[in-house]
Amino acid sequence: MEGTRVLYFDMERCVGCHACETACKIENNISIGPKWIEVVQHDVLKDDGTWTMKFMPMNCRHCAKAPCIPACPTGAIEQGADRVVLVNSRLCIGCAECLQACPFGAPQFGPGGLMEKCTLCAHRDPEAPTACEQFCPVGAIRSGRPQELSSQKRKQCLFIAAAGVTARSTGEA
Amino acid sequence: MIVFNPDRCVGCYACQVACKVERGLPAGACGITVLSYESLDGGGERRVHYRALLCHHCADAPCVRICPVRAVTRDKNGIISVASEKCIGCRLCSLSCPHSIPSFNDRQQMTKCNLCIERIEAGLKPACVAGCPVAALEIEAPREISVRKRRGLLRKRCCL
Amino acid sequence: MRPEKKERMLILGAGAAGLSAADAIRSVNPDSPVTIVSGEKGLPYARMALPYYISGKIPVKGIFTGMRRDFSGRKIEYIPGDPAVGLDTHRQKVLLRSGLALEYGKLLVATGSVPEYPDMLAGLDAPGICNLWTLKDALQIKRRIEHGGAIAVWGAGFVAFMAAKALAMHGRKVYLICRANRILRRVLDEGAAGLMEHALSEKGVVCLKDTNVEHIGVLKGGKKHIVLDGGRELAVDVLIVALGTRPNTGFLHETPLAGKKGLEVDEYLGTRIPGIYAAGDLALVRDCVTGERIAHALWSAAVREGRGAGLNMAGDRHQCDLSLLMNVIDLGGYGAVSVGHPLLANNTEVYQFADKAGKAYRRLVFQDRRLIGAIIVGRCTDTGFFPALIRGVPELTQARKQKILRFPWNIAPALLGL
């Protein structure tokens, strides 16, 4: 789907500052507990015997074939024409079936126990950056159409190769 | 909430037995039901899958909303339980529950999973979770599930 | 502590719809003044539970749905025993019988329905002839049958069935006078009705079908003498009249809202006058199968609509039409469930299943790749999946349909597995 926006996370850039989490919470007025976007951390043992930390922000991927939608027993989760997956809190009963179905652990549950999650800042202008993208200090979050993100990444690979730097895996697109 | 892992379940029904024994439930009533269904895999082989139906203790549960005599209630820990002496057996709860979880005992009173509250208070896991021989059932808060999945994904990515 | 007049949310009726609406308003708006007016004295109770009180399954305190502390604790004003008698839509005022005039900002009409009472009984004000509609009726019936006696139930709908069942459970002789050729003809087909009639007769209920009441008189000693059109005569202690209901909209006769069948509402349950909503037995809500505007006198519909109307009164835009018919008829563990429109006959595919023992029965009705109705008798473990499936969650794919027809006794695997 060409016209739809996705978020791209650059694991090589993320420094684990959690600014995206804070920005998201303020922007969407989220209560304590749920994290629509969350930076997770993993310690990796390098070949030279030292440890390094890897970070990655995780939000809702707004999947084209979202498994949460058929899992919802009340039909509360819907996908609009722009592919953004949204939940209707008036239909949600808070059963958390969506969370069990989601491979990304995206559905969050607030103090009322109903599902809430990333809306890709649906209230903002569709062309404007999302709050997490806007406030990421290292540019690890980029939003765009898959085609744009893909060509950006290809160019980046070429740049790295041309500069004689060993191209490292930057994660899958 | 109790999380069911379909990849682990072998269909032994030990959870149902454990639930019935723990709660002393009669025939027909059980807090957890394992369903089986068949499908064909890529090579045309028949495969049996299992799925456990159990109460999700929904935050805004339809059974609580619909009970005409307010016998089904949600306590401060979020556990939905039924006061059987108040239940009239009208079965509206079972019709309103999208997974048809409420079942009825021989006195036509609704019975359902109470998350083995006595066991949890004693520091134990619910009977079905403890009774599962292949660890297909686990008790986890939604927040824990989310964090586990998110961490697991990053770990997988780092191992590439 | 009289609340600010103009923003007051006024709810007429303290039944399922009225109380659900109050809950919904409070869930989003903890402060706005809410007033509930009930036409009946005392605390609100569940009409649905009255037969269970008569049969002795629950004590009388078990039927109440709200306590005084529930209202005072949540700052809800409750005015019992004072039915609305008039509505002034221009001045936004509701007049109560006591003369009290209440101003409102938003109004919910949830006054429910009232039972039909045939003209034949008009002059006959004998004790022991009553509806089973109010707590007063239930108390009267319970008192009269305490030491035995025979009862006739006139009608064969849901209320009549529940009354007959409750009295039979109590060990009394019950005659069910049924005008049609089967009981519960609006919700059950012949097959299902036959099974339920058989189960009823095992409990001691005599179903008199294709028959109507011709004359009712009172014998010496207070017994009721009933002459049926076949010439048969019955002498009973209590006659329960259960011939259906009509919407309780009498007090609206001077307003543009008044309608014989009920109150027309849009998909947000608003009536044609802004600020006035309707929910429950009297709201003409679109049916989710036929699309027709119809008043469903059901507890489940009232709860759903009450919540929707409450949310919309509190400022939300929650679409809450598309009501679904569903009836559960339980007979001491042997039950029948009717969901949607299982008796609709145009362009429908009908599948019927019966088990070998002749105890369980299912009728599934499809139309245009949709399930539009189902009757389930016996084996009721998967009933919760039907309402959602009729509403289209999950979608009925061809594969699912095949699977349901192959394994009709439990549809859960077909819906969860594919």
Side-chain angles (χ1 to χ4, degrees), chain A residues 72 74-76 78 88-94, chain B residues 65, chain C residues 307 318-319:
Chain A
C72 176
T74 59
E78 285 170 339
N88 179 347
S89 62
R90 294 304 175 213
L91 293 178
C92 178
I93 57 171
Chain B
R65 241 193 262 152
Chain C
R307 176 172 178 269
H318 176 50
Q319 207 166 331

Side-chain angles (χ1 to χ4, degrees), chain C residues 120-121 154 177 211-217 225-233:
Chain C
M120 188 195 296
L121 296 169
W154 186 6
I177 304 167
T211 182
N212 206 351
V213 172
E214 214 151 68
H215 177 77
I216 295 171
H225 179 244
I226 304 168
V227 183
L228 302 177
D229 58 5
R232 187 167 173 176
E233 293 174 37

